[in-house]
C-alpha cells in the first residue's frame, strides 16, 4: 500500500496516496485507507496535516467531509505531482487583515524587496550547489557561478522602482538561470545528460524528475500559504494569470535548489535512467510508478531531515516562512 508519510512530527503526517485502487473512507471518526487484498490503515484526523491523492484513488464523501471538518487540505494531483483540484473548508483560517495587507504588499516596495530577496536567494543557492558538486575548475560551471553571484548582487543592490521592473527582474533571473542549467548537466553521470530546461513535456529523464519534484513542491507551498491565511492567487513578481496560484510561482524560487539536490542524488545513485521509471509518449518523458516511488521517498527524507535544532526540518522551515510572510503582509501599508 502506497500511503506514504511525507512528513512526521509528533505523530502528524502528510499523506500521499498515489497507487491506483486505494480507497480513502471514513470510519469511527477516522480515515481508513484500504486496498483489496492488503491490510488497512486507520488514522485519526489529529494525525494528518494534508492529503494528496493521485489518479485512480477512490475518495468517499465521508472522508472528504472529515477532512473539511478537521481543517485538513485534500488535494488531487496530476501525473506530474501538481495540484489539479483542492478540497478545503468553506471558511478561511485567518482574519481578512492579512489579505488586505497582501494587496498593499504586492503593489508596494515591501513586496518588491521581498521578491528581489527570493530571486537572489535562488541564484546564490544555485551557485552554491555548483560550487559543492561541480568537477574541479570546470569552465562552464565557473562561468555560471560568477554570473549567478553577479546577478544576485545586482538584484539585491538595485531594486527597481520605475518602469516595468517585473519584466526586467524576470529577464535578469532568466539569463542567470540559463548559465546554471548549462552547468548542471556536468554534475551528472553521462546517461542523465541533458540540454537546458524542458517542462511539459520533459525532453529527457532528468528534466522529467525535476518536473515531478517541482510539482510536489508547488502542492506543498500552495497549502502552506492558504494555512497561513495568504491568498496564493495574488502574486508580486508573477501577476494576473487566470486560475493560477501566482504567489506560489514567486515563493517556490527560494526552494527549487532543494529538489534539484534531490534529483541529482537520485541520478548519481543510478548511472543510467532505469528503463522501468519512464515512459516516452506524446513527444516527451513521463515518470512511472517505480520512478515516483524512488523520488518521493528521496524528497520525503530530504524535507523531513532536521537541519538544525532551532529551525527544525526543511519542511517546517517552509511552513514557518509562510507564516512570517503573513506577518509582513499584516504590517503592509500603501506606499507614500
Amino acid at each position: 500500500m502506497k500511503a506514504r508519510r511525507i512528513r512526521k512530527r509528533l505523530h502528524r503526517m502528510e499523506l500521499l496516496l498515489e497507487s491506483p485502487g486505494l480507497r480513502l473512507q471514513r470510519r469511527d471518526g477516522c480515515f481508513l485507507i484500504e486496498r483489496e487484498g492488503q491490510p488497512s490503515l486507520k488514522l485519526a484526523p489529529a494525525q494528518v496535516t494534508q492529503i494528496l491523492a493521485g489518479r485512480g484513488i477512490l475518495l468517499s464523501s465521508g472522508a472528504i467531509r472529515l477532512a473539511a471538518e478537521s481543517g485538513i487540505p485534500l488535494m488531487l494531483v496530476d501525473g506530474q505531482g501538481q495540484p489539479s483540484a483542492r478540497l478545503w473548508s468553506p471558511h478561511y483560517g485567518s482574519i481578512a487583515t492579512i489579505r488586505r495587507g497582501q494587496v498593499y504588499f504586492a503593489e508596494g516596495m515591501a513586496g518588491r524587496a521581498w521578491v528581489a530577496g527570493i530571486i537572489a536567494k535562488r541564484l546564490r543557492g544555485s551557485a552554491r550547489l555548483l560550487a559543492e558538486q561541480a568537477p574541479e575548475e570546470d569552465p562552464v560551471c565557473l562561468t555560471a557561478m560568477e554570473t549567478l553571484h553577479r546577478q544576485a548582487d545586482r538584484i539585491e543592490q538595485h531594486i527597481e522602482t520605475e518602469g516595468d521592473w517585473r519584466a526586467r527582474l524576470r529577464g535578469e533571473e532568466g539569463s542567470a538561470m540559463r548559465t546554471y542549467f548549462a552547468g548542471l548537466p556536468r554534475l551528472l553521470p553521462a546517461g542523465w545528460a541533458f540540454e537546458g530546461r524542458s517542462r511539459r513535456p520533459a525532453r529527457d529523464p532528468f528534466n522529467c524528475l525535476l518536473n515531478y519534484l517541482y510539482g510536489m513542491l508547488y502542492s506543498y507551498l500552495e497549502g502552506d500559504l492558504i494555512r497561513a491565511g495568504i491568498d496564493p492567487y495574488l502574486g508580486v513578481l508573477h501577476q494576473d494569470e487566470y486560475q493560477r496560484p501566482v504567489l506560489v510561482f514567486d515563493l517556490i524560487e527560494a526552494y527549487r535548489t532543494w529538489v534539484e539536490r534531490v534529483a541529482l542524488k537520485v541520478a548519481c545513485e543510478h548511472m543510467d535512467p532505469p528503463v522501468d521509471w519512464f515512459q516516452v509518449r506524446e513527444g516527451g518523458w513521463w515518470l512511472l510508478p517505480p520512478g515516483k516511488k524512488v523520488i518521493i521517498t528521496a524528497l520525503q527524507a530530504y524535507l523531513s531531515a532536521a537541519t538544525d535544532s532551532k529551525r527544525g526540518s526543511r519542511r517546517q522551515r517552509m511552513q514557518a516562512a509562510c507564516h512570517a510572510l503573513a506577518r509582513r503582509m499584516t504590517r503592509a501599508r500603501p506606499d507614500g
Side-chain angles (χ1 to χ4, degrees):
M1 177 181 299
K2 297 180 181 178
R4 297 191 182 84
R5 298 182 179 189
I6 303 292
R7 179 175 63 89
K8 183 176 180 181
R9 181 191 179 199
L10 299 177
H11 305 292
R12 303 195 75 202
M13 65 189 74
E14 291 174 346
L15 292 178
L16 173 62
L17 309 175
E18 58 89 31
S19 183
L22 280 178
R23 297 187 299 273
L24 181 66
Q25 303 184 76
R26 177 176 185 164
R27 184 171 299 174
D28 301 325
C30 295
F31 294 108
L32 184 68
I33 305 170
E34 294 182 309
R35 188 176 187 182
E36 187 173 351
Q38 296 188 15
S40 60
L41 175 64
K42 195 173 185 179
L43 297 169
Q47 294 178 268
V48 181
T49 60
Q50 181 167 260
I51 301 169
L52 307 175
R55 293 172 177 171
I57 305 301
L58 305 177
L59 306 174
S60 74
S61 60
I64 294 171
R65 287 182 182 275
L66 181 59
E69 292 165 359
S70 305
I72 299 170
L74 194 161
M75 284 185 290
L76 307 182
V77 295
D78 63 17
Q80 291 295 300
Q82 296 197 14
S84 54
R86 179 183 295 275
L87 304 174
W88 188 263
S89 167
H91 309 292
Y92 245 103
S94 65
I95 59 176
T97 304
I98 296 174
R99 295 184 296 285
R100 186 178 299 113
Q102 184 177 352
V103 176
Y104 301 144
F105 182 85
E107 296 299 329
M109 281 302 301
R112 296 185 191 186
W114 172 78
V115 81
I118 290 288
I119 299 302
K121 180 178 179 180
R122 161 59 160 159
L123 301 187
R124 294 192 194 284
S126 301
R128 190 178 309 115
L129 188 156
L130 292 178
E132 292 171 359
Q133 301 193 32
E136 188 173 357
E137 300 301 321
D138 183 278
V140 175
C141 291
L142 288 174
T143 298
M145 285 185 277
E146 292 172 0
T147 301
L148 290 162
H149 281 301
R150 183 173 61 252
Q151 290 291 72
D153 289 341
R154 186 184 186 287
I155 288 169
E156 286 181 325
Q157 295 169 9
H158 304 284
I159 299 173
E160 297 284 354
T161 58
E162 298 178 356
D164 192 352
W165 65 271
R166 292 182 176 90
R168 285 195 290 272
L169 182 54
R170 284 195 293 265
E172 291 169 355
E173 178 196 15
S175 64
M177 294 312 298
R178 280 190 289 274
T179 67
Y180 170 63
F181 279 106
L184 194 61
R186 304 173 85 86
L187 281 56
L188 289 165
W192 291 89
F194 68 96
E195 294 184 9
R197 274 291 287 135
S198 55
R199 293 168 178 82
R200 290 195 170 193
R203 296 193 301 266
D204 56 80
F206 191 75
N207 271 294
C208 184
L209 294 187
L210 287 182
N211 290 347
Y212 194 85
L213 288 167
Y214 288 152
M216 293 188 66
L217 201 56
Y218 280 119
S219 301
Y220 294 154
L221 289 172
E222 185 177 351
D224 292 345
L225 287 170
I226 292 173
R227 282 194 292 275
I230 299 172
D231 183 351
Y233 290 84
L234 177 57
V236 180
L237 180 61
H238 297 84
Q239 288 194 321
D240 301 331
E241 295 186 43
Y242 184 64
Q243 292 187 343
R244 303 195 73 186
V246 287
L247 187 60
V248 179
F249 302 163
D250 293 342
L251 183 58
I252 197 174
E253 297 302 330
Y255 305 105
R256 284 189 189 273
T257 308
W258 287 3
V259 300
E260 288 154 11
R261 289 179 179 274
V262 172
L264 280 169
K265 182 176 184 296
V266 169
C268 290
E269 290 172 349
H270 301 80
M271 297 304 291
D272 291 297
V275 294
D276 63 335
W277 285 18
F278 303 98
Q279 181 183 53
V280 180
R281 58 180 171 83
E282 300 173 4
W285 290 71
W286 302 86
L287 198 61
L288 295 175
K292 291 179 183 179
K293 178 179 179 180
V294 172
I295 66 166
I296 289 168
T297 301
L299 181 63
Q300 166 188 341
Y302 187 81
L303 292 182
S304 63
T307 53
D308 59 57
S309 58
K310 292 184 178 180
R311 296 193 295 173
S313 70
R314 293 181 180 89
R315 188 71 187 93
Q316 291 162 352
R317 286 163 56 187
M318 290 166 60
Q319 295 163 340
C322 290
H323 286 283
L325 179 59
R327 291 192 292 272
R328 291 182 66 173
M329 290 177 171
T330 302
R331 297 191 297 268
R333 297 293 182 271
D335 285 352

